[in-house]
């Protein structure tokens, strides 16, 4: 008894300082990780002079006009509007078409269903950049470049596999009896999907939505290649041009980055559990 | 039977739109890029069929090989900087305490930023004159260490890889925590009874239990590093003198900067082939293990 207790005490006496040191190292690591973001925020509110002379310090006079100037000069209102239109349209398409396909693939055994699943699985492995050139040529021929559709359709195409596989895994777990009951009540398949399956799948739809939102809202490569027109530039695209156009006005670019980064950071803070879980499901499947 | 007819038409109508968009915008382009790879084409005017010449030129193109080598540097740095660090952190942050949850969020947060924001912030951190890193070195009295981090061909690939690792470590951390939490408590208890604690437990019990996850994350690192594009376009555009060129940026620069559409398409096809080879290799290796 006494031996066991003293051993236990020795253990905890040892463990405490070790875990204390580990905690300090971890905290240090977290500070290094977060510092670039902290630096972005404080720099967004400094003058260029202060940005250069006192890079680490808290802003002496908070310059909110960096944000407003960036908003005006960078046509950020237009960029935010474009990003919103493209993101919401692609989200709707991804969710509706993805969940419908997931329902069919989860519940209706048909001859080609294995092939179709394999094809979507393949889609997760395609490096999207290798499709930029052929898609550019294709859209050029169709006159689709510089339209919202030139972003909405590729976004949807590349997000569908993840949506379908997450949706399928979820729908499989819904008991079939519910569908049978709904069928007896006189619903067709469309009714069953719309009134039963889709509402019951809302938790996974939420996960798909958040993952897809982050991807669409942050996309750079498709926008870079398919959009030239000033009026259609999305947020990341106009941001990338900012750094060229206003070369030495550092705080202005920092202000623009602040505008672009805040929405996703807020979304993260609100939905972090769901985002982390979804990223795991999405990346392990991919 | 009318009922089965009805379900058949539902299957077609419900599946077709998704399948159509997916095939037209994700699958067909692969074949197109292989096809355009057989042509010499400036984007305007007539395309000239030149057979395998583009592909032959690629094999002799030292910039292509350099780009591939740079991609492989990113793979190695991702395995060290993302997988190993995430694994280490996940062992320390496994327990569900408040402190650990806050730590996980901190490590995960950069993940939600646009690649453009990541590239621009780090471009400023590395900036030769106004950059945070050089200013920090000066403050610390290490002026001799100051460098044009993104311009020096000896180090710029490593400088480029740090923001990519910074932004992508979060998902790996969460994947490892999920895998570690799945190890059943019975195995933990059995290991304890057998006297497996500390390092011994780590190497003989914990790591073998999550080995499958480690393999998957390495594969994700490989395919992720072959896709690398955005950060580099924003930070260096592949320069200076193509020292940070990657396969994807080389494809982009060939096509949209010097208008060699055929050659750019051929490079695209090579990216797909290289990915397929690596994924196939992984399939063989993991199958042998299982």
């Amino acid at each position: 008894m006494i031996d066991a207790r003293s051993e236990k005490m020795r253990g905890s006496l040892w463990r405490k300082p070790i875990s204390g040191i580990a905690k300090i190292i971890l905290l240090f690591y977290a500070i290094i990780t977060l510092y670039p973001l902290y630096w972005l925020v404080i720099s967004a509110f400094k003058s260029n002079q202060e940005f250069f002379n006192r890079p680490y310090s808290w802003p002496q006079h908070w310059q909110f006009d960096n944000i407003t100037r960036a908003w005006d000069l960078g046509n950020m209102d237009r960029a935010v509007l474009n990003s919103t239109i493209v993101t919401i349209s692609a989200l709707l398409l991804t969710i509706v078409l993805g969940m419908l396909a997931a329902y069919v693939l989860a519940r209706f055994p048909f001859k080609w269903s294995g092939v179709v699943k394999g094809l979507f699985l393949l889609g997760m492995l395609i490096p999207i950049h290798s499709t930029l050139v052929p898609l550019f040529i294709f859209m050029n021929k169709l006159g689709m470049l510089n339209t919202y559709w030139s972003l909405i359709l590729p976004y949807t195409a590349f997000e569908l596999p993840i949506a379908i596989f997450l949706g399928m895994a979820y729908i499989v777990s819904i008991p079939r009896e519910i569908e049978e009951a709904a069928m007896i009540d006189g619903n067709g398949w469309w009714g069953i999907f719309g009134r039963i399956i889709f509402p019951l799948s809302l938790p996974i739809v939420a996960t798909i939505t958040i993952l897809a939102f982050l991807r669409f809202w942050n996309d750079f490569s498709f926008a870079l290649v398919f959009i030239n027109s000033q009026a259609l530039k999305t947020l990341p695209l106009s941001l990338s041009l900012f750094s060229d156009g206003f070369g030495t006005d550092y705080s202005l670019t920092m202000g623009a980055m602040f505008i672009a980064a805040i929405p996703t950071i807020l979304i993260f803070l609100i939905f972090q559990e769901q985002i982390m879980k979804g990223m795991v499901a999405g990346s392990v499947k991919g | 039977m009318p009922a089965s007819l009805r379900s058949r038409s539902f299957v077609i109508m419900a599946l077709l739109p998704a399948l159509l968009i997916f095939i037209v915008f994700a699958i067909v382009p692969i074949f197109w890029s292989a096809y355009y790879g057989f042509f010499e084409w400036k984007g305007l005017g007539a395309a000239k069929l030149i057979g395998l010449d583009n592909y032959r030129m690629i094999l002799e193109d030292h910039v292509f090989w350099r780009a591939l080598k740079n991609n492989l540097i990113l793979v190695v740095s991702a395995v060290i900087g993302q997988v190993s660090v995430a694994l280490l952190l996940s062992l320390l942050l496994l327990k569900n305490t408040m402190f650990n949850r806050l730590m996980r969020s901190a490590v995960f947060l950069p993940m939600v930023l646009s690649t453009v924001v990541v590239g621009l912030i780090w471009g400023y951190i590395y900036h030769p004159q106004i950059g945070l890193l050089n200013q920090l070195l000066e403050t610390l009295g290490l002026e001799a260490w100051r460098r044009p981090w993104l311009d020096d061909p000896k180090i710029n690939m490593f400088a480029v890889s740090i923001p990519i690792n910074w932004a992508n470590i979060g998902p790996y951390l969460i994947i490892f925590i999920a895998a570690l939490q799945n190890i059943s408590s019975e195995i933990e208890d059995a290991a304890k009874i057998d006297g497996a604690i500390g390092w011994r437990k780590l190497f003989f019990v914990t790591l073998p239990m999550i080995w499958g996850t480690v393999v998957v994350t390495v594969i994700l690192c490989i395919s992720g590093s072959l896709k690398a594009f955005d950060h580099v376009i924003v930070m260096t555009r592949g320069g200076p003198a193509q020292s940070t060129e990657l396969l994807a940026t080389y494809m982009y620069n060939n096509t949209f900067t010097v208008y060699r559409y055929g050659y750019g398409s051929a490079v695209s096809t090579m990216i797909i082939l290289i990915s397929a080879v690596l994924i196939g290799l992984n399939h063989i290796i993991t199958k042998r293990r299982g």
Side-chain angles (χ1 to χ4, degrees):
Chain A
M1 273 306 267
I2 295 165
D3 268 346
R5 199 192 296 158
S6 74
E7 202 172 271
K8 208 173 180 181
M9 268 179 62
R10 193 151 18 114
S12 68
L13 275 179
W14 261 110
R15 218 159 280 157
K16 273 224 170 110
I18 286 179
S19 80
I21 293 168
K23 260 186 193 167
I24 290 167
I25 295 173
L26 282 171
L27 264 179
F28 186 66
Y29 183 87
I31 289 167
I32 293 180
T33 299
L34 292 179
Y35 195 80
L37 288 176
Y38 166 77
W39 186 60
L40 163 66
V41 173
I42 58 169
S43 304
F45 295 98
K46 287 178 182 176
S47 67
N48 277 313
Q49 193 64 29
E50 211 187 345
F51 173 73
F52 185 69
N53 288 336
R54 301 157 43 91
Y56 321 110
S57 65
W58 199 244
Q60 275 179 319
H61 307 285
W62 288 74
Q63 307 259 331
F64 289 93
D65 73 309
N66 285 337
I67 314 284
T68 51
R69 263 190 329 139
W71 186 267
D72 292 338
L73 286 173
N75 285 324
M76 298 298 261
D77 45 354
R78 189 74 220 181
V80 169
L81 181 70
N82 289 335
S83 279
T84 309
I85 291 173
V86 170
T87 300
I88 289 181
S89 317
L91 269 179
L92 286 174
L93 271 180
T94 304
I95 290 162
V96 173
L97 302 186
M99 288 309 287
L100 269 171
Y103 179 47
V104 167
L105 292 172
R107 279 289 204 259
F108 297 80
F110 61 100
K111 203 171 155 193
W112 294 93
S113 110
V115 176
V116 173
K117 278 181 214 164
L119 206 59
F120 280 121
L121 198 62
L122 192 71
M124 289 197 238
L125 305 172
I126 299 172
I128 59 162
H129 300 111
S130 60
T131 63
L132 288 176
V133 180
L135 278 179
F136 176 83
I137 298 171
F138 170 63
M139 291 185 186
N140 197 14
K141 280 186 179 158
L142 289 185
M144 239 174 90
L145 292 175
N146 284 317
T147 63
Y148 289 129
W149 289 109
S150 69
L151 296 181
I152 295 167
L153 292 173
Y155 287 173
T156 308
F158 281 95
E159 198 65 20
L160 274 173
I162 295 157
I164 288 174
F165 280 96
L166 290 176
M168 258 169 61
Y170 195 88
I171 291 171
V172 164
S173 71
I174 298 174
R176 278 172 186 276
E177 288 78 12
I178 302 178
E179 282 159 87
E180 281 157 21
M183 183 153 271
I184 292 165
D185 288 345
N187 284 296
W189 292 118
W190 293 102
I192 293 175
F193 176 79
R195 290 196 202 108
I196 314 284
I197 297 293
F198 193 82
L200 283 176
S201 305
L202 281 180
I204 201 70
V205 170
T207 302
I208 295 169
T209 305
I210 297 164
L211 290 184
F213 168 82
L214 289 174
R215 254 177 269 233
F216 299 161
W217 186 265
N218 287 335
D219 165 74
F220 175 57
S221 17
F222 283 130
L224 175 69
V225 174
F226 302 148
I227 299 291
N228 266 316
S229 139
Q230 191 65 44
L232 290 178
K233 286 195 162 96
T234 57
L235 207 44
L237 191 58
S238 32
L239 203 55
S240 78
L241 302 170
F242 235 90
S243 63
D244 303 337
F246 300 91
T248 51
D249 199 338
Y250 305 111
S251 30
L252 188 65
T253 311
M254 287 295 197
M257 276 200 270
F258 181 82
I259 297 172
I262 286 307
T264 52
I265 291 179
L266 283 180
I267 295 251
F268 172 73
L269 293 177
I270 299 168
F271 296 108
Q272 44 178 317
E273 291 288 314
Q274 209 140 14
I275 292 174
M276 288 188 188
K277 273 185 202 143
M279 284 274 175
V280 173
S283 56
V284 169
K285 296 246 157 79
Chain B
M1 255 170 54
S4 90
L5 257 182
R6 251 205 348 251
S7 59
R8 194 164 168 195
S9 81
F10 173 75
V11 165
I12 294 170
M13 299 279 286
L15 193 57
L16 214 55
L19 201 56
L20 217 60
I21 291 181
F22 175 68
I23 288 179
V24 171
F25 289 93
I27 301 288
V28 172
I30 298 174
F31 297 100
W32 260 326
S33 88
Y35 171 76
Y36 286 124
F38 296 125
F39 290 87
E40 192 185 302
W41 186 32
K42 294 206 171 305
L44 289 167
K48 193 173 118 203
L49 184 69
I50 54 167
L52 284 170
D53 280 6
N54 279 330
Y55 295 96
R56 209 170 295 144
M57 272 192 301
I58 284 178
L59 296 180
E60 289 164 11
D61 182 346
H62 70 275
V63 183
F64 174 82
W65 291 107
R66 183 174 202 169
L68 181 59
K69 187 185 129 201
N70 285 341
N71 271 101
L72 294 177
I73 291 176
L74 288 189
V75 172
V76 173
S77 96
V79 170
I80 297 168
Q82 293 170 37
V83 175
S84 329
V85 174
L87 185 57
L88 191 70
L89 285 175
S90 69
L91 291 166
L92 295 170
L93 299 175
L94 184 58
K95 287 206 186 96
N96 240 336
T97 62
M98 189 57 154
F99 175 80
N100 286 357
R101 282 212 301 276
L102 284 174
M103 284 291 308
R104 291 178 205 165
S105 301
V107 176
F108 199 88
L109 184 59
M111 180 71 212
V112 304
L113 298 177
S114 164
T115 47
V116 176
V117 173
V118 172
L120 283 176
I121 298 181
W122 283 85
Y124 279 161
I125 290 176
Y126 286 137
H127 195 287
Q129 283 90 42
I130 57 143
L132 193 64
L133 185 53
N134 278 344
Q135 296 208 27
L136 178 72
L137 290 172
E138 205 167 298
T139 313
L140 295 174
L142 298 166
E143 285 195 34
W145 292 15
R146 289 179 55 123
R147 282 211 167 34
W149 299 96
L150 292 173
D151 292 334
D152 182 346
K154 282 195 212 93
I155 49 168
N156 56 10
M157 268 321 292
F158 300 98
V160 159
S161 73
I162 287 175
I164 298 177
N165 291 340
W166 177 70
N168 289 309
I169 193 170
Y172 294 110
L173 172 67
I174 307 300
I175 289 172
F176 280 131
I177 287 176
L180 288 169
Q181 286 174 343
N182 271 340
I183 299 178
S184 75
S185 55
E186 281 149 45
I187 291 171
E188 297 268 341
D189 292 342
K192 210 176 277 171
I193 291 165
D194 290 343
I197 48 166
W199 293 107
R200 225 182 304 161
K201 184 182 155 216
L202 177 65
F203 282 109
F204 293 107
V205 183
T206 312
L207 277 183
M209 288 298 294
I210 61 162
W211 193 247
T213 309
V214 176
V215 171
V216 170
T217 53
V218 171
I219 297 312
L220 289 175
C221 264
I222 294 172
S223 73
S225 303
L226 283 174
K227 289 179 198 167
F229 174 77
D230 300 10
H231 301 96
V232 172
I233 284 284
V234 174
M235 280 190 285
T236 68
R237 299 210 147 246
Q242 299 183 305
S243 55
T244 55
E245 200 78 87
L246 302 174
L247 293 173
T249 60
Y250 192 45
M251 174 277 299
Y252 175 83
N253 286 333
N254 261 300
T255 316
F256 301 106
T257 314
V258 295
Y259 302 109
R260 295 167 76 195
Y261 279 72
Y263 200 69
S265 301
V267 175
S268 296
T269 307
M270 292 303 286
I271 299 175
I272 294 171
L273 287 178
I274 293 167
S275 311
V277 167
L278 289 175
I279 288 162
L281 274 179
N282 154 59
H283 194 67
I284 293 167
I285 294 168
T286 45
K287 237 189 182 163
R288 196 171 289 163
R289 285 203 143 263

